[in-house]
Amino acid sequence: MLHFLTALVLYKVLFYRPRYVIHQSYSYEQWTQRQPELQITPSSNINASSSSSTAVPLFYHISPGSTGSRTLYHASCSAGYPSVHHKSFCISNTRGIENVNERVVDGVRAHFEVLRLCEMAASCTSLHQKGKLDPDREEASEAILSLCYTTVNEWAANLTMHLKHVIQSDLVGLFDTPYPYLAPQVLEYTKLYRQNTVIGMTERDPSSWAKSRIKHGLLLCRKEYSIIGKDTTSTLGSSEFDALGCISRASLLFKRQNQQQSNSRTHNNQEPRLHFWEVFWYRSHHERDQDYDFLRGMEQQMTRHQQLYLPLATYTPDFFGVHITKSNAKSSHRIDEKKVSKDISRLLSKGHGKATTGNTMPLKCRGRVNWEMSNDTFVELYHLPKTCEPNAKEIPIPLI
């Protein structure tokens, strides 16, 4: 016991860092009420026009998590490009936003809101599966119930709004969850709002990927809504892919069922009020059982994702040796972060130059956010504090 306490004290002294600052986040209803302010922010005109576009290039890693996205993220930061990777971000060499391009700040803020919505969907689905959304239970606070009983259509509208703001901003690197699972929407918005987009894909054997991916907590489209192709009876199994498409398919199916039950066409124009757990399924990383049907579904979805988007990719480093054969085994090698960083710089600077990002030096200060569901707030912290330069004005990233 003494050794355990000693180890705990050492851990806190050596590794623990106090939280930096807490920001308030907002529910869908609150954001709807704030839309007039959101259209023209004090810091920039990014949201002033729905046709707002930027000449800053975008690097979009379309491959899902567990395909080397973290290596790409760190390489992009090292190349000096403002980037986000799930809960992590790099926009400066100091804590906060002092001297950071205002449109980059807008992009990170919008990314946080996209992330918050995805975390909300996963947490609410998980709580419902555990039977913890009963109003009579202590775990089900009024705040949590308010979040979790948001309808998926309201959620999707809010997510789409913030996703558009991410693409309209001057953020350069988009890596990891949730962007690969919003690929149709991201690609649509890049055509409208970005003049130059580099799409990266890191292929991985689908079977190997699926076994690795299930080690993470996963928000999945239910199998019955994972309809692929013209044959509306075919499914490929539960997956993370195409989150908004999953909602559309679920809504359509529920409308058809209601129509059949009522034997009337009076409900044609009414959208069903579905909740997260009626569309999604949450699989915890603690679930170690080998569900072969589930794994097979994940493999099939990954195969489809790679076949669908590989033709669009302009950067396809072979991180996992997918294309190594006996004839080229000696000449092939794993790509390291420095080489990837140079590749990203070369691709993004074509016809643009580094000046478009506002940075000429590596972005060494890597930040991170956590979302606290109990009070719907973000916590901004820095998981690599020794790389951040001193800054007297630690101005946090605003979410309003």
Side-chain angles (χ1 to χ4, degrees), residues 307-323:
Q307 290 175 346
L308 186 62
Y309 295 116
L310 184 59
L312 303 180
T314 49
Y315 182 56
T316 56
D318 192 10
F319 282 4
F320 297 92
V322 173
H323 300 290

Side-chain angles (χ1 to χ4, degrees), residues 249-390:
R249 292 187 291 271
S251 297
L252 180 61
L253 185 59
F254 269 80
K255 286 175 71 174
R256 286 176 178 173
Q257 291 174 345
N258 290 339
Q259 197 175 56
Q260 291 172 355
Q261 291 173 1
S262 63
N263 195 25
S264 169
R265 296 181 179 274
T266 58
H267 298 286
N268 278 350
N269 297 322
Q270 295 182 7
E271 290 295 331
R273 294 183 62 80
L274 301 177
H275 299 104
F276 298 119
W277 47 89
E278 295 174 289
V279 178
F280 300 116
W281 166 45
Y282 184 76
R283 181 183 171 91
S284 170
H285 66 280
H286 295 300
E287 296 182 42
R288 298 299 184 186
D289 58 306
Q290 291 292 322
D291 185 336
Y292 293 104
D293 287 339
F294 169 63
L295 284 173
R296 178 59 177 163
M298 291 281 282
E299 290 173 22
Q300 291 179 127
Q301 292 278 8
M302 181 59 162
T303 299
R304 176 184 179 274
H305 186 81
Q306 292 186 150
Q307 290 175 346
L308 186 62
Y309 295 116
L310 184 59
L312 303 180
T314 49
Y315 182 56
T316 56
D318 192 10
F319 282 4
F320 297 92
V322 173
H323 300 290
I324 292 179
T325 63
K326 290 182 179 180
S327 60
N328 67 5
K330 292 183 180 180
S331 60
S332 299
H333 58 85
R334 295 294 177 91
I335 302 173
D336 62 23
E337 187 179 310
K338 289 184 179 180
K339 184 181 186 306
V340 174
S341 185
K342 291 179 180 179
D343 288 343
I344 291 175
S345 293
R346 173 178 53 80
L347 291 165
L348 292 177
S349 62
K350 283 185 177 180
H352 294 272
K354 185 66 70 67
T356 57
T357 70
N359 298 292
T360 57
M361 298 294 290
L363 299 174
K364 297 180 180 179
C365 191
R366 313 285 163 86
R368 179 180 174 88
V369 292
N370 286 332
W371 179 61
E372 301 285 354
M373 186 180 192
S374 59
N375 56 6
D376 196 14
T377 58
F378 275 113
V379 179
E380 178 183 333
L381 55 147
Y382 290 84
H383 56 298
L384 295 175
K386 292 182 180 179
T387 65
C388 299
E389 297 174 2

